[in-house]
Amino acid sequence: MIEFDTGKVEAKERLDYWSSDVLRRMSIARMDAGPGFFARLLRTQGRRGEFWDHTSDAIRVERGARRCASDGGDEIYVGLLLDGPSRVSQNGNDHALVAGNLYVVDFARPVRAEWSSHREIAIVIPRERVAALAGRRAMTLGGQRLDRPGLAELLASHLALTARRMRGLSSVGREAAIDAATDLACALLRSVADEAVDLPSGDVLTAALMVIDQRHTDARLSPARVAVAVGCSRSELYRAFAGQAESVAAAIWTARLERSRRMLALQPALDLSVAQISANCGFLDPSSFNRMFRNRYGMTPRDMRQLAGSRTTIA
């Protein structure tokens, strides 16, 4: 376990210290905090990956094509934002991130990131381990958000709890926790890479449901955007859903509500507020989220979170 902390160096030396001694693959493009810049990084090595717990003031970092070619970056970074909105751009993907978002950075390709004052935890995996599972499709992973049910939720919960317990674990316990996170991350990345194939040809309904499953946390997702992603007209899309129990718009809202229910059930592991969870699941209006959740599940989101917390305490 190695800890880096700008508070241990003089204010005038913090920029050089952080850019030359700490940032492994990125270059500082801008700092808004001036000489008082604060950042801390706890880096812990496992057998199959490395765990990072990073806190800093607002900073913009980047990794250009020249640096990618020169330093041989061979890691895949899977980050979980715990606090502070941020933005990451890679492979044509540009995502505004909020607390609870999981995302991927591929250090073999150019990337830009703009962090507000934030805290983030991550697992860093050697490329060969990911490539062994995903093959060439590993190159499609950078810049993707990993907001989906199942493995992503397990990984987020495990990372958050590992960060809480890391300092109190023995060296054997730390290694085991990091290796478990690495295995979960690799399984998740493989599943994402497996989905990075052409949508089913001629099957509008299946293709639309795949798009909704993968992108429902994007508040901008609408029937029109689903149609564009599938490559059909809106009338074709509506016809494909005509025999279903739900319309395409209802299917989007159902996916968002189901994700919010699963996230609330993870409490207190993720330690997110109801407002953060609603935003993370694609809801722009908290009051609409509360009303829709209560209509569907017979209780408010806050009641659901308290119920999950009581179950955790009893267990």
Side-chain angles (χ1 to χ4, degrees), residues 88-235:
V88 174
S89 302
Q90 188 174 49
N91 283 347
N93 300 306
D94 182 52
H95 292 300
L97 304 174
V98 297
N101 284 155
L102 272 170
Y103 71 98
V104 186
V105 167
D106 180 353
F107 284 132
R109 304 176 70 83
V111 59
R112 299 191 312 275
E114 185 165 0
W115 291 308
S116 64
S117 181
H118 76 291
R119 183 183 176 199
E120 180 169 299
I121 53 180
I123 195 75
V124 184
I125 310 167
R127 168 175 300 282
E128 60 267 21
R129 183 171 293 277
V130 178
L133 297 171
R136 292 183 177 180
R137 286 171 293 181
M139 297 298 289
T140 68
L141 295 170
Q144 292 201 46
R145 272 176 46 176
L146 303 176
D147 299 324
R148 58 191 65 209
L151 285 172
E153 294 169 315
L154 289 173
L155 176 59
S157 179
H158 179 72
L159 287 174
L161 289 173
T162 298
R164 289 185 181 182
R165 304 302 184 195
M166 181 62 74
R167 293 182 184 276
L169 292 173
S170 66
S171 59
V172 173
R174 292 170 187 165
E175 188 174 83
I178 294 169
D179 288 345
T182 303
D183 290 342
L184 279 171
C186 284
L188 174 60
L189 293 174
R190 179 179 181 177
S191 70
V192 173
D194 286 345
E195 294 170 359
V197 296
D198 294 336
L199 292 170
S201 176
D203 189 345
V204 173
L205 178 61
T206 300
L209 292 173
M210 287 176 62
V211 170
I212 292 170
D213 181 61
Q214 295 174 20
R215 305 183 188 178
H216 62 268
T217 58
D218 184 347
R220 300 169 298 177
L221 187 68
S222 64
R225 287 179 179 267
V226 172
V228 170
V230 171
C232 68
S233 67
R234 275 183 284 182
S235 60

Side-chain angles (χ1 to χ4, degrees), residues 264-265 267-268 303-315:
L264 288 163
Q267 291 297 108
D303 290 339
M304 175 71 77
R305 185 176 67 171
Q306 291 174 346
L307 178 62
S310 66
R311 287 173 176 169
T312 301
T313 301
I314 293 172

